[in-house]
């Protein structure tokens, strides 16, 4: 009976019946998908909450390999899904292939990067994605999907929607253009000069992140637990009239993105602890598991934060973290009840 604390950055020690590993492409055709069902595809488990004591079988993607080709006015990288994202960022940035330095220190695997279209400091995976190779269980075929076919948006993609549970991302194509300019418009990065080098940008991103976010190897967590909610401008204006100015990021003419961390903080929950789990005292968007709590405790904490924000602001937060139960990847509406 495999125990799973090493499989998730929350360090939750759930258990499963079976972990099937994909180390080579040949392993894909040997997968007994029917026999494994229900299952959950896992990379490094840094956006995953094992929400129950026993969870579904896991398919762990360990595919390795990076190929770099000069192509037109840039470099095309072909990267296997099991590579570590931050190591890739470091290798590219220090080898004169800039473009993803703003995405430094995001934990997890390359294969998971397209799933929620990882993003930070004004850059997201979609900005550099050329294609994604996706292995379909039903047909046993590999589909090379264009960036458009991936349907990327804020923390979203087709892999979290129509294609959820139907296959595995095995490889991504990343294009890094020679025409690089630093992206410095986010708070903290604007301290750098416009002549900043890619390495300087990466180091600054790492410095800012380390000052704000708990290191999951010291204080287990899964980064931002909730997405930043997007509301209609009229709702935002009503909130400002009632609660005063609040952080806001216009999405388009009609919609405003609010800061979920600010809402949780204003609901009085920054630093709130219950049993073995807590809301981080520096960043209320991060739920932590400092004392070896279990998935149920984290579920209750998430539910409490969700209810408090709803009561105070009338806004329904939506988790960014995937919830895994005996049924595999489970809609949060079924878990946070
Ligand atoms: C401290 C901290 C900071 C973070 N900061 C950020 C941030 O700034 N921006 C951001 O976007 N995210 C952030 N995250 C979240 C997390 O790092 C990303 O979501 C990351 O991409 C998860 O990678 P993973 O391999 O750990 O994914 P997992 O948790 O293993 O899986 C996440 C999802 O991807 C699916 N998946 C994984 N691999 C594959 C595959 N090969 N094929 C198909 N589906 C797959 C899983 O089924 C699941 O739905 C942070 C997390 C932590 C702990």
């Amino acid at each position: 009976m495999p125990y799973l604390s090493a499989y998730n950055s929350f360090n939750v020690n759930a258990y499963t019946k079976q972990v099937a590993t994909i180390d080579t492409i040949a392993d894909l055709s040997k997968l007994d998908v029917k026999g494994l069902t229900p299952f959950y595809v896992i990379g490094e488990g840094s956006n995953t909450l094992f929400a129950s004591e026993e969870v579904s079988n896991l398919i762990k993607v360990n595919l390795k390999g990076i190929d770099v080709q000069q192509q037109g006015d840039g470099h095309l990288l072909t990267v296997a899904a099991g590579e570590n994202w931050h190591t890739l960022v470091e290798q590219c940035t220090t080898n004169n292939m800039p473009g993803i330095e703003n995405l430094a220190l995001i934990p997890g695997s390359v294969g998971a990067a397209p799933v929620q279209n990882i993003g930070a400091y004004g850059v997201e995976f979609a900005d550099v994605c050329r294609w994604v190779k996706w292995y379909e269980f039903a047909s046993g075929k590999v589909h090379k999907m264009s960036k458009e076919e991936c349907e990327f948006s804020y923390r979203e993609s087709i892999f979290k929607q129509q294609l959820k549970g139907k296959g595995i991302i095995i490889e991504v194509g990343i294009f890094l253009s020679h025409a690089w300019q630093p992206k410095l418009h986010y708070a903290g990065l604007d301290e750098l000069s416009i002549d900043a080098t890619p390495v300087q940008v990466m180091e600054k991103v790492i410095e800012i992140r380390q000052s704000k976010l708990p290191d999951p190897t010291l204080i287990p967590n899964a980064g931002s637990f909730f997405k930043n909610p997007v509301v209609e401008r009229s709702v935002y204006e009503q909130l400002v009239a009632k609660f005063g100015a609040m952080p806001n990021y216009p999405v388009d003419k009609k919609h405003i993105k609010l800061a979920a961390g600010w809402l949780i903080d204003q609901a009085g929950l920054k630093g709130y602890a219950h049993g073995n789990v807590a809301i981080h005292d520096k960043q209320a968007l991060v739920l932590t598991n400092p004392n070896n709590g279990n998935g149920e405790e984290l579920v209750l904490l998430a539910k409490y934060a969700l209810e408090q924000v709803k009561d105070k602001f009338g806004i329904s937060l939506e988790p960014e973290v995937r919830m895994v139960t005996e049924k595999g990847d489970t809609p949060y509406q079924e878990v946070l009840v």
Side-chain angles (χ1 to χ4, degrees), residues 7 9 40-48 61 81 105-113 115-120 134 155 159-160 167-170 209 213-216 221-224 320 322 329:
Y7 285 79
S9 62
Y40 176 73
V41 177
I42 194 158
E44 296 184 19
S46 64
N47 205 29
T48 294
V61 183
L105 218 61
I106 298 183
S109 61
V110 166
V115 176
Q116 75 151 357
N117 182 23
I118 56 168
W134 180 75
R155 299 296 178 272
F159 307 106
K160 272 173 81 174
I168 295 177
I169 292 167
I170 56 170
R209 291 182 70 99
L213 293 171
D215 177 349
N221 73 87
S224 305
E320 179 181 309
R322 311 307 300 169
D329 195 339

Side-chain angles (χ1 to χ4, degrees), residues 142-296:
V142 173
H143 301 272
K144 189 172 179 179
M145 299 171 62
S146 69
K147 172 174 154 171
E148 289 68 33
E149 286 172 317
C150 295
E151 296 180 9
F152 292 124
S153 60
Y154 168 63
R155 299 296 178 272
E156 277 297 341
S157 74
I158 195 166
F159 307 106
K160 272 173 81 174
Q161 301 295 335
Q162 296 97 302
L163 301 187
K164 187 175 108 175
K166 294 186 177 159
I168 295 177
I169 292 167
I170 56 170
E171 211 172 71
V172 305
I174 293 176
F175 185 74
L176 300 175
S177 169
H178 294 322
W180 174 82
Q181 283 207 320
K183 293 211 172 72
L184 304 175
H185 51 283
Y186 260 62
L189 292 185
D190 52 6
E191 289 170 13
L192 294 173
S193 94
I194 49 160
D195 301 326
T197 65
V199 171
Q200 285 169 332
V201 177
M202 179 177 75
E203 285 171 349
K204 191 72 190 172
V205 168
I206 292 174
E207 184 192 316
I208 300 171
R209 291 182 70 99
Q210 285 177 333
S211 71
K212 280 192 188 165
L213 293 171
D215 177 349
T217 60
L218 303 175
I219 305 176
N221 73 87
S224 305
F225 196 90
F226 297 100
K227 290 184 187 178
N228 289 322
V230 175
V231 298
E232 296 204 353
R233 184 170 280 277
S234 58
V235 173
Y236 164 70
E237 283 164 358
Q238 284 163 19
L239 288 169
V240 171
K242 195 165 173 196
F243 298 103
M246 60 182 67
N248 67 93
Y249 313 93
V251 175
D252 53 38
K253 278 187 186 155
K254 288 189 181 157
H255 296 94
I256 306 277
K257 195 192 282 175
L258 304 176
W262 186 88
L263 297 170
I264 298 169
D265 184 3
Q266 293 300 306
L269 295 180
K270 198 186 237 180
Y272 172 83
H274 187 75
N276 297 307
V277 297
I279 291 176
H280 192 49
D281 55 2
K282 286 201 194 113
Q283 170 51 276
L285 195 47
V286 178
L287 271 55
T288 65
N289 183 19
N291 296 312
N292 297 320
N294 58 30
E296 284 91 340

Side-chain angles (χ1 to χ4, degrees), residues 304-325:
Y304 184 61
L306 210 126
E307 285 166 357
Q308 294 299 304
V309 169
K310 179 81 179 164
D311 281 357
K312 178 153 185 171
F313 298 102
I315 291 179
S316 302
L317 293 179
E318 186 185 326
E320 179 181 309
V321 169
R322 311 307 300 169
M323 315 250 163
V324 185
T325 67

